[in-house]
Amino acid sequence: MGDFRIEGNGFLLDGRPFRILSGAMHYFRIPPAYWEDRLKKLKAMGLNTVETYVAWNVHEPRPGEFDFDGMADLARFVATAQALGLYVIVRPGPFICAEWEFGGLPAWLLADPDMEVRCCYPPYLAAVRRFYEALLPRLLPLQIQRGGPVIAMQVENEYGSYGSDQAYLAWLRDLMLELGVATMLFTSDGATDHMLTHGTLDGVWKTANFGSRADGEFATLRRHQPDAPLMCMEFWNGWFDHWGEPHHTRDAGDAAAALDEILAAGASVNVYMFHGGTSFGFMNGANTDLETRRYQPTVNSYDYDAPLSEDGEPTPKYHAFRRVIGKYVDLPPLALPAPAPVPRLDLGPIRFTDYASLADNAARLGPTIEAAAPRSMEALGQDYGYTLYRTRTRHPGGTVRLSAERLHDRAQLFVDGVPAGVLERDGDLAIDVTLPGGPCVIELLVENQGRVNYGPDLQDRKGLLGWVRLGINKLYHWEMIPLSLRHLDVLGFGAYDGRPTDRPGFHRAAFDVAAPGDCFLDLSGWTKGAAWLNGFNLGRYWERGPQRRLYVPAPLLKQGRNELIVFEQHGSACRTAALHADRGAA
């Protein structure tokens, strides 16, 4: 059995001085076949610990239904780290931010119209308890006190930049202790007085998050915690990207100098991110600007300009960090990569031969739910994807303004099946449409582009959130079809037949691979949508950028025949795609 504790301004690990040199990796963003490879590269950079969040929405996709297998096998990830001689820091939330959908909270929480997360709202606390009662028994045997590698666990996450419910933080700490957590507990917050006031607990070790100016940040932390080890729990060495904004990078030399400042102060550090990986599927998060509240959905790539790239390759920042760390500790041999390099794949063009329109297949993809007025995705029992809202009405012919009270996040409008425009969350939510006169069908295909993962707009319900009007008249009697797009095997495909494909639909291609390899899916010329490879949702593409290609890890490919399905929301003249060995320019 082991022991890890604070002694003065430092740590003792089994009675010997220890400095935490950690790197962040999220098991749920990395194919399990690559966990060992990424962890070996983390250790080779000179780190002795790996840190990971725990994504509640991955593990409890529906209330009371738990998943700890495959990419959700947290215990296997921790055991893999231990086998490589690494220690582990676990941050189980329940909120994690992480640029992950709803900050890791499950969407079904929002089906409760009175829900208040991250506070002492009783139904929320009951849900957290149920999750922790399923999660923590899997982690308890992995604590250092029981011979495992877990040296610390976090209480909540950056609570000082969200709320002020100290009773909630204390309840969460007490729940962890009640359920058997014996390892060190800590909080992490931005190094400001107000964040460290609202986000910390007496008797719980405090850490700070920042990307530069270590001396000033640590001075603030010292005011709140004079006699404990200093640690930057999130050393932000890169950043993430929103759709429609420039790709973020940070100079390797600048980041390495900032790391040097932290280590020169005698502090411990967690490099956030060491390896970002990918927010596959519909699991990307979003932000709202804290001043304008403008909605900012995040891309699927979580490369983060980290030392290890999205596809697991050491970058100049990796080598710069290794040189800095080598000033303070003896480095392990730089035997990279280990195991052998993953083969790369270039393949194209991949030709699409089959098509299934959304109009002909919507009823196959989800149940039709009827209500007098539009209902949110969460009220419909839906978490991710799209919802098709449909109403039938009569209206005089001519031009009339269609308007929506509130929309999250983006809607394509159709009149009698013909595209009539797009409404976006931050627009004026109104558009002029031309009606034929008499009966007509109004449809809105609404996309959840990612729930907000940080800040006061966290409780980000999706869909049509209020009335829809034609002129001054509210529209009633809605049919709603939740389109989570989890199972595409129900689609009725046929060969391209000359019908218009400028409307939402699914394009299918089959292609052969002699030997799988890592690659990136290139959908240049397509407009907006999502892509599935052999049934696995790779994520979204959008001509708006900055992400241009979707990462395809080799384990998702098969030797022989493979299937690619693209859901194109707007239509494209393209009938091909390609797989490239590199990500291309952002």
Side-chain angles (χ1 to χ4, degrees), residues 207-211 218 230-236 262 267-271:
T207 67
N209 302 337
F210 55 85
F218 282 142
L230 292 171
M231 181 165 182
C232 179
M233 187 56 69
E234 291 186 17
F235 167 51
W236 303 320
I262 293 170
S268 291
V269 68
N270 178 47
V271 176

Side-chain angles (χ1 to χ4, degrees), residues 243-502:
W243 288 110
E245 297 179 3
H247 173 55
H248 290 84
T249 61
R250 182 177 183 183
D251 177 75
D254 176 69
L259 175 61
D260 203 354
E261 289 179 15
I262 293 170
L263 298 182
S268 291
V269 68
N270 178 47
V271 176
Y272 191 99
M273 297 290 298
F274 166 76
H275 171 54
T278 310
S279 304
F280 290 110
F282 296 134
M283 299 310 290
N284 63 282
N287 293 90
T288 50
D289 185 277
L290 294 181
E291 294 183 4
T292 67
R293 299 185 72 183
R294 184 175 67 86
Y295 177 70
Q296 302 162 309
T298 305
V299 304
N300 284 88
S301 171
Y302 202 58
D303 177 82
Y304 210 85
D305 194 34
L308 206 66
S309 68
E310 180 180 14
D311 52 333
E313 293 300 314
T315 68
K317 192 175 289 182
Y318 180 100
H319 297 289
F321 280 17
R322 191 174 192 272
R323 287 191 293 271
V324 168
I325 294 168
K327 295 169 58 176
Y328 300 91
V329 299
D330 293 331
L331 292 172
L334 186 60
L336 291 176
V342 175
R344 293 281 163 165
L345 180 65
D346 266 297
L347 185 66
I350 297 169
R351 299 194 179 279
F352 292 86
T353 57
D354 302 318
Y355 180 70
S357 72
L358 179 63
D360 291 340
N361 286 271
R364 302 181 184 207
L365 292 165
T368 299
I369 301 168
E370 297 183 4
R375 301 174 65 188
S376 70
M377 288 188 180
E378 296 79 9
L380 298 173
Q382 183 179 5
D383 45 17
Y384 316 117
Y386 307 75
T387 303
L388 182 63
Y389 293 82
R390 178 188 299 133
T391 187
R392 305 169 200 276
T393 190
R394 297 174 60 89
H395 201 84
T399 299
V400 63
R401 174 146 287 215
L402 181 139
S403 57
E405 180 181 11
R406 192 165 164 234
L407 166 68
H408 288 183
D409 298 304
R410 187 176 187 272
Q412 296 166 245
L413 172 65
F414 304 87
V415 177
D416 292 332
V418 178
V422 173
L423 301 174
E424 295 195 75
R425 179 170 175 161
D426 295 320
D428 63 7
L429 299 186
I431 191 169
D432 289 336
V433 296
T434 300
L435 300 181
C440 64
V441 178
I442 304 291
E443 293 175 305
L444 291 123
L445 177 63
V446 179
E447 178 187 3
N448 166 6
Q449 294 187 284
R451 287 183 183 82
V452 170
N453 56 254
Y454 177 86
D457 296 320
L458 187 64
Q459 297 190 171
D460 184 22
R461 290 178 177 85
K462 298 301 188 182
L464 290 177
L465 306 177
W467 48 253
V468 177
R469 299 195 301 175
L470 276 179
I472 64 172
N473 299 104
K474 286 186 181 181
L475 296 175
Y476 289 106
H477 300 294
W478 289 86
E479 300 171 0
M480 292 158 284
I481 305 179
L483 305 169
S484 64
L485 304 188
R486 283 195 184 88
H487 306 292
L488 303 187
D489 53 352
V490 299
L491 293 170
F493 280 99
Y496 289 118
D497 59 6
R499 291 186 298 166
T501 54
D502 60 345

Side-chain angles (χ1 to χ4, degrees), residues 93-131:
F95 166 81
I96 63 172
C97 185
E99 290 69 58
W100 189 256
E101 228 273 349
F102 199 10
L105 301 174
W108 47 258
L109 288 170
L110 298 178
D112 175 357
D114 298 321
M115 176 56 62
E116 282 291 336
V117 301
R118 305 182 74 188
C119 71
C120 284
Y121 178 59
Y124 173 72
L125 298 183
V128 173
R129 171 176 281 276
R130 182 178 63 208
F131 171 51

Side-chain angles (χ1 to χ4, degrees), residues 25-38 70-72 76-77 275-278 280 310-312 518 536 538 551-556:
M25 285 173 44
H26 302 152
Y27 59 96
F28 48 87
R29 282 181 156 128
I30 306 165
Y34 286 167
W35 287 348
E36 181 177 343
D37 172 80
R38 288 6 178 198
M71 286 182 75
R76 178 186 161 198
F77 177 80
H275 171 54
T278 310
F280 290 110
E310 180 180 14
D311 52 333
D518 267 18
F536 183 90
L538 298 173
Y551 177 46
V552 179
L556 297 181

Side-chain angles (χ1 to χ4, degrees), residues 59 66-69 72-76 78-79 90 130-143 146 150 153 179:
H59 295 293
F66 296 99
D67 182 2
F68 292 96
D69 296 321
D73 194 344
L74 170 60
R76 178 186 161 198
V78 173
V90 178
R130 182 178 63 208
F131 171 51
Y132 272 34
E133 287 175 346
L135 168 71
L136 291 180
R138 291 169 165 81
L139 289 173
L140 297 179
L142 298 168
Q143 297 177 104
R146 295 174 64 175
V150 176
M153 290 194 207
L179 294 178

Side-chain angles (χ1 to χ4, degrees), residues 38-80:
R38 288 6 178 198
L39 288 166
K40 284 182 175 179
K41 291 170 180 174
L42 180 147
K43 185 174 182 178
M45 198 177 82
L47 303 178
N48 56 32
T49 302
V50 60
E51 174 270 314
T52 185
Y53 279 129
V54 177
W56 181 4
N57 52 13
V58 168
H59 295 293
E60 193 178 2
R62 285 163 295 281
E65 297 181 18
F66 296 99
D67 182 2
F68 292 96
D69 296 321
M71 286 182 75
D73 194 344
L74 170 60
R76 178 186 161 198
F77 177 80
V78 173
T80 302

Side-chain angles (χ1 to χ4, degrees), residues 194-222:
H194 79 269
M195 292 181 184
L196 288 166
T197 296
H198 289 290
T200 59
L201 284 166
D202 291 341
V204 175
W205 178 44
K206 304 169 180 62
T207 67
N209 302 337
F210 55 85
S212 59
R213 300 183 296 277
D215 287 348
E217 305 294 282
F218 282 142
T220 303
L221 180 60
R222 274 277 181 243

